[in-house]
Amino acid sequence: MIRLYKLSKQYPSGHRALEQVSFHIRPGEFVIVTGPSGSGKSALLKVLFGNEQASSGRAVVNGRNLERMDRRTLAGLRRELGLVFEDSKLIDRLDATDNVALAAEVAGHAPTSARDRAGEALARVGLPASLAARPGQLSAGERQKVALARALVNDPVLVLADEPTGGLDPDASLEIFELLREVNSEGTTVLMATHDPDALSLLHCRTLLMYQGRLAEEEALRRASL
Ligand code: ADP
Ligand code: MG
């Protein structure tokens, strides 16, 4: 699903956010990327969803080669991915259902079918299928569930989540982790960047540790946590 080979990212400022990162994620895996603030977790995810370009190395996401990506291929890849960020990035003037339906319309579904899909996606995350509240009227936890529903509305093969519980209290965080686990158990590959230790203890999944743009040895990490 994701294959990285010696991927490096240097910003124009000269700062090296990623240094020779290599790993392979198989379809159906749930993988956490963790590490201190500034270690390159977000930079890694931005490269994976094509928001930023790597400086060198190779990255293949769902069979698409990121270095050779024109705008059409990038648009195609984006439709196969579900993205969740720390800030839910919902549109304030649209209600929750419309926020989710819009993502389905952008992917090419007709308005009625987009609303049906939105209802199903909202139900999947435990919210009412028709949710007329606007983002500002929802709690932070509910907003993240809507953001997750939006990420799921086009049946992505891969969900990339960057600190999806960053602004949430422990209970709301737990709900998001559980939902992501459910999504994964239904077959979707999930890659989540988080520095929340609760995620690690709750999910017991493969964990990649980043430190100063590099990937620490996975095996060493696994042994250390035994
Ligand atoms: P994390 O998500 O692990 O906290 P980031 O991936 O956001 O870390 O950042 C990795 C490093 O890259 C940090 O040192 C950060 O300051 C730097 N960085 C991020 N974005 C830019 C940018 N646009 N220009 C220069 N440096 C950046
Ligand atoms: Mg980050």
Side-chain angles (χ1 to χ4, degrees):
M1 181 59 65
I2 300 178
R3 198 179 277 275
L4 296 192
Y5 183 70
K6 293 192 175 175
L7 193 87
S8 296
K9 165 83 190 164
Q10 183 168 13
Y11 284 107
S13 62
H15 185 87
R16 301 183 69 84
L18 297 173
E19 289 265 22
Q20 307 244 335
V21 175
S22 304
F23 62 80
H24 177 199
I25 295 180
R26 288 178 298 280
E29 276 197 275
F30 192 140
V31 178
I32 288 180
V33 184
T34 191
S37 173
S39 58
K41 304 179 296 294
S42 295
L44 174 68
L45 264 65
K46 283 178 194 162
V47 170
L48 292 177
F49 66 83
N51 194 43
E52 287 185 356
Q53 263 196 317
S55 314
S56 62
R58 287 176 40 199
V60 180
V61 178
N62 199 26
R64 296 173 190 267
N65 209 321
L66 291 185
E67 311 91 87
R68 293 193 227 112
M69 190 143 338
D70 54 30
R71 282 179 60 182
R72 258 184 62 198
T73 327
L74 180 60
L77 175 66
R78 289 269 174 84
R79 278 196 288 276
E80 295 158 2
L81 306 180
L83 306 175
V84 187
F85 301 93
E86 177 167 0
D87 152 24
S88 62
K89 295 192 193 296
L90 298 171
I91 300 173
D92 286 328
R93 61 186 169 75
L94 297 181
D95 71 26
T97 303
D98 285 342
N99 262 283
V100 180
L102 180 64
E105 279 194 52
V106 168
H109 292 280
T112 340
S113 131
R115 281 193 77 80
D116 289 347
R117 295 182 73 97
E120 284 163 26
L122 285 164
R124 239 178 123 182
V125 300
L127 290 173
S130 184
L131 186 53
R134 292 182 180 200
Q137 299 167 312
L138 298 171
S139 70
E142 287 165 334
R143 278 198 294 276
Q144 276 309 61
K145 287 187 194 174
V146 175
L148 181 57
R150 181 184 54 187
L152 298 174
V153 74
N154 295 316
D155 295 326
V157 292
L158 170 65
V159 168
L160 296 174
D162 192 2
E163 306 280 0
T165 62
L168 304 184
D169 62 47
D171 286 345
S173 299
L174 200 76
E175 283 192 73
I176 296 292
F177 295 143
E178 296 279 8
L179 283 167
L180 284 168
R181 177 155 65 186
E182 241 173 77
V183 165
N184 173 251
S185 70
E186 288 157 10
T188 310
T189 311
V190 178
L191 178 61
M192 171 170 70
T194 183
H195 62 258
D196 185 343
D198 284 352
L200 309 184
S201 55
L202 177 84
L203 295 164
H204 296 293
C205 60
R206 181 179 164 204
T207 303
L208 305 174
L209 174 65
M210 305 264 322
Y211 187 70
Q212 296 184 346
R214 291 183 183 275
L215 205 61
E217 278 286 330
E218 263 191 81
E219 183 60 19
L221 179 70
R222 194 185 64 78
R223 277 200 234 109
S225 66
L226 284 180

